[in-house]
Amino acid sequence: MDIILPNHSPELLESTFDAVYLYDHPLFSLMAEKTVMPWFLVVPKKQLNANDDLNYVQQLYGEIYRLIGFIQQNNIGQHFNIAKIGNKNPNQHIHLIFREESDEVWPDAVWCHEPLTASDETPERLKTALAPFFES
C-alpha cells in the first residue's frame, strides 16, 4: 500500500488510476474521475510520512485546502469530502469529492454506490474552471 509513482506523466497516471489527468503542481498531480460528481484525485509526489518529511505533508495539505478555497470561491463546489483510503488502488492518492444535497447518492458515501453516473464532460469542465488556480 501507499506506493509513490516515480513518474507523474499524464499517460502513466491515467492508466494507473483510470481517471483524467488535469494538472501538474510541484507537490502533486491532479486528476478527475469520469463522473458527473466533481471527484478529484490528488496524487502526491512524495510519501506522506510526517516522521520523514513533516514539511512536505504540511505543504501538501495546505495546497489542497488552498485549492478547496478556490473551488468554493468560484462556485465549482461547496461541500467537500476528503479522504485517503486507497483500498482498491495501492498507489498513494487522496480523494477530494464535492457533494450537493441533490447529487445521486446524497447523503451516502460515494464509494458505497459505484458505479456513479459517468461523464467525460465533467473532467474537461473542471480543467477549464481550475486553469486560473494552476496558472497563478
Side-chain angles (χ1 to χ4, degrees), residues 37 79 81 97 99-101 103-114 116:
M37 193 175 305
H79 178 74
N81 299 133
I97 307 167
R99 307 290 309 273
E100 295 180 17
E101 289 185 18
D103 73 41
E104 65 187 285
V105 297
W106 183 273
D108 295 337
V110 295
W111 35 80
C112 296
H113 292 280
E114 292 184 89
L116 298 171

Side-chain angles (χ1 to χ4, degrees), residues 55-106:
N55 187 47
Y56 175 75
V57 175
Q58 290 172 328
Q59 286 181 342
L60 176 67
Y61 276 92
E63 282 301 294
I64 291 170
Y65 276 87
R66 198 169 73 80
L67 175 62
I68 290 167
F70 179 89
I71 289 169
Q72 291 173 325
Q73 291 166 4
N74 289 279
N75 297 314
I76 301 164
Q78 290 303 313
H79 178 74
F80 67 93
N81 299 133
I82 186 169
K84 182 193 159 302
I85 47 179
N87 297 340
K88 293 182 181 179
N89 188 324
N91 296 284
Q92 192 164 75
H93 61 288
I94 299 162
H95 296 267
L96 177 57
I97 307 167
F98 283 83
R99 307 290 309 273
E100 295 180 17
E101 289 185 18
S102 62
D103 73 41
E104 65 187 285
V105 297
W106 183 273

Side-chain angles (χ1 to χ4, degrees), residues 116-131:
L116 298 171
T117 302
S119 171
D120 289 328
E121 293 81 31
T122 300
E124 291 306 315
R125 181 179 57 80
L126 294 171
K127 184 171 186 165
T128 299
L130 295 177

